[in-house]
Amino acid sequence: MAVIHFYKYQGTGNDFIMIDNRQEVVDKTDLALVKQLCHRRYGIGADGLILIENSQETDFEMIYFNSDGSKSFCGNGSRCAVSFANYLGMVGDNAEFKAIDGFHEAYIMQDQVFLRMRNVEKVEQFEEDMFINTGSPHYIRFVKELAAMDVVEEGRKIRNSELYKAEGTNVNFVEPTQEGKLYVRTYERGVEDETLSCGTGVTAAALASTYLGYSSPVKLLTPGGQLQVAFKTKGNDQFTDIYLSGPATFVFKGEINI
């Protein structure tokens, strides 16, 4: 039996287990272990597990797992990973790291972590709905009375539809507020439930909102807190210099026997 030291972080309620894996203390092919650690009854509990590893090309590599063991890119997880790497002394206020979707830059300013997302070159439209890949796939639907919506039921229908059943998709329900912000609730694939926040999801929602007349920067409210997305537009359906920003908060640290 081995003892693993871990750290818990959260970004607007999106919570993650962080492990310094530069010495390869965790076998990243052990998906059963990932599921066990993320289980909210039998493990530490989290939306995802993040391993920080050495990289010859960048400051570090982030290996991200959803709670079901699947891999994807995670915006809030990336911001938390940068904060954790800063805590470990691997980076200062500026960082470059490798993720499943390529290389990313980020910087820390006070209690906010700014993450540069990959460029978006295509927006698919389905009548009034949209699909945008911001490192992870997102289906976006603008709705009314979002607070009362059953996001899990409605999100699961879209996620398991014939179009997305094979690969899955995240589903974002978005409602403009009177204050000019966007209220966003997300059904996440890989967690297969609603999460309190989703970084790639609010990014997709912010880009989609330009079709309603919104412009950069866009402030977004999630059940877990507030985020902001800044970007530049480049022609039709193209966005560059996309930055997701918000808090990345250390919660606690501990150890677990595996």
Side-chain angles (χ1 to χ4, degrees), residues 220-239:
L220 306 106
L221 303 174
T222 72
Q226 180 171 299
L227 293 159
Q228 179 174 285
V229 176
F231 52 88
K232 294 179 181 178
T233 56
K234 181 183 178 182
N236 294 328
D237 300 341
Q238 294 187 339
F239 302 88

Side-chain angles (χ1 to χ4, degrees), residues 52-66:
I52 300 295
E53 299 193 343
N54 290 313
S55 171
Q56 295 182 344
E57 303 163 290
T58 59
D59 294 318
F60 65 90
E61 181 172 0
M62 178 189 79
I63 310 295
Y64 177 78
F65 297 92
N66 293 306

Side-chain angles (χ1 to χ4, degrees), residues 86-118:
N86 176 265
Y87 169 82
L88 294 175
M90 299 177 66
V91 300
D93 290 339
N94 294 277
E96 184 179 6
F97 66 95
K98 183 179 180 181
I100 193 170
D101 69 332
F103 299 100
H104 289 269
E105 298 170 353
Y107 64 92
I108 301 171
M109 183 179 293
Q110 297 177 341
D111 66 340
Q112 303 283 297
V113 179
F114 293 74
L115 170 69
R116 183 166 187 164
M117 309 287 282
R118 74 179 198 179

Side-chain angles (χ1 to χ4, degrees), residues 9 21 32 48 56 61 115 133 145 190 217 227 244 246-247:
Y9 276 73
N21 205 41
Q56 295 182 344
E61 181 172 0
L115 170 69
N133 193 313
E145 299 182 357
L227 293 159
L244 166 70

Side-chain angles (χ1 to χ4, degrees), residues 40-257:
R40 296 192 184 275
R41 297 293 184 268
Y42 301 111
I44 301 165
D47 292 329
L49 169 69
I50 294 175
L51 305 178
I52 300 295
E53 299 193 343
N54 290 313
S55 171
Q56 295 182 344
E57 303 163 290
T58 59
D59 294 318
F60 65 90
E61 181 172 0
M62 178 189 79
I63 310 295
Y64 177 78
F65 297 92
N66 293 306
S67 59
D68 69 352
S70 61
K71 287 185 176 182
S72 67
F73 177 69
C74 178
N76 284 332
S78 294
R79 295 189 306 97
C80 288
V82 171
S83 183
F84 182 48
N86 176 265
Y87 169 82
L88 294 175
M90 299 177 66
V91 300
D93 290 339
N94 294 277
E96 184 179 6
F97 66 95
K98 183 179 180 181
I100 193 170
D101 69 332
F103 299 100
H104 289 269
E105 298 170 353
Y107 64 92
I108 301 171
M109 183 179 293
Q110 297 177 341
D111 66 340
Q112 303 283 297
V113 179
F114 293 74
L115 170 69
R116 183 166 187 164
M117 309 287 282
R118 74 179 198 179
N119 293 341
V120 171
E121 299 181 349
K122 182 180 181 181
V123 177
E124 296 181 50
Q125 298 198 42
F126 306 92
E127 296 181 356
E128 296 182 355
D129 298 345
M130 300 180 203
F131 179 86
I132 302 176
N133 193 313
T134 53
S136 289
H138 286 275
Y139 191 96
I140 303 107
R141 174 170 291 173
F142 287 90
V143 300
K144 296 180 179 179
E145 299 182 357
L146 177 53
M149 177 176 287
D150 188 335
V151 166
V152 174
E153 180 180 355
E154 295 303 317
R156 192 167 285 161
K157 289 178 184 177
I158 297 171
R159 183 259 185 267
N160 292 311
S161 64
E162 286 300 318
L163 186 60
Y164 299 113
K165 184 166 57 176
E167 298 294 329
T169 186
N170 304 286
V171 185
N172 301 98
F173 299 99
V174 187
E175 182 177 22
T177 71
Q178 292 182 345
E179 297 79 19
K181 301 177 182 179
L182 296 177
Y183 179 38
V184 184
R185 293 176 63 187
T186 302
Y187 178 90
E188 282 203 50
R189 69 166 187 174
V191 179
E192 304 308 331
D193 202 348
E194 181 180 7
T195 55
L196 293 181
S197 179
C198 176
T200 54
V202 299
T203 301
L207 302 183
S209 74
T210 61
Y211 294 86
L212 300 182
Y214 281 72
S215 59
S216 175
V218 178
K219 295 186 185 311
L220 306 106
L221 303 174
T222 72
Q226 180 171 299
L227 293 159
Q228 179 174 285
V229 176
F231 52 88
K232 294 179 181 178
T233 56
K234 181 183 178 182
N236 294 328
D237 300 341
Q238 294 187 339
F239 302 88
T240 63
D241 298 317
I242 305 168
Y243 277 89
L244 166 70
S245 61
T249 307
F250 167 72
V251 183
F252 65 88
K253 63 180 178 179
E255 59 183 39
I256 188 170
N257 294 323

